Amino acid sequence: MFAWHKTFVISALVVVLGVPHAFAMDQEQVRREPTSGEVLVDAVIARPIGLLTTIVGAAAFVVSLPFTLPSNSVDRAKEALVVTPARYTFKRPIGQLDSCATLPESCK
């Protein structure tokens, strides 16, 4: 059982330390076509994570409704928990690893 925990922790550290470098973006990426590696990382890692985030955000939005309805903040919760992750997952061009908030012209 201890070996399983050790393997999980090492795997989690590799993902946490390695994935941000794959998502790093410079100004050059804005003006060029994405490489096959960027498209692969987007399709295999970023899109599934975005889909999962959208699903979890939708569930959190439903759970938060009793609190957001009386405070008239339903639109803010919807934008933060559902719309932004869905836009990142479904509207962003494949291979563009930056969010639509940073590059809105590419997500129209």
Side-chain angles (χ1 to χ4, degrees):
M1 192 72 159
F2 179 71
W4 180 83
H5 290 288
K6 187 175 179 181
T7 304
F8 177 76
V9 169
I10 290 172
S11 300
L13 284 174
V14 167
V15 169
V16 168
L17 296 175
V19 170
H21 298 292
F23 291 114
M25 181 178 155
D26 56 6
Q27 289 299 324
E28 236 178 68
Q29 185 179 5
V30 176
R31 296 179 192 88
R32 65 173 170 76
E33 290 295 314
T35 65
S36 59
E38 291 167 338
V39 172
L40 179 68
V41 166
D42 191 10
V44 174
I45 297 173
R47 300 289 170 147
I49 290 173
L51 180 61
L52 182 65
T53 304
T54 303
I55 292 168
V56 170
F61 173 71
V62 170
V63 169
S64 73
L65 278 175
F67 308 106
T68 57
L69 282 172
S71 65
N72 293 326
S73 57
V74 174
D75 290 336
R76 186 180 307 167
K78 177 183 73 172
E79 181 70 30
L81 296 173
V82 180
V83 175
T84 301
R87 190 178 299 131
Y88 182 82
T89 303
F90 299 110
K91 272 197 88 111
R92 182 177 47 85
I94 190 127
Q96 175 192 321
L97 298 173
D98 205 22
S99 70
C100 291
T102 306
L103 299 171
E105 66 279 353
S106 65
C107 295
K108 292 180 182 175

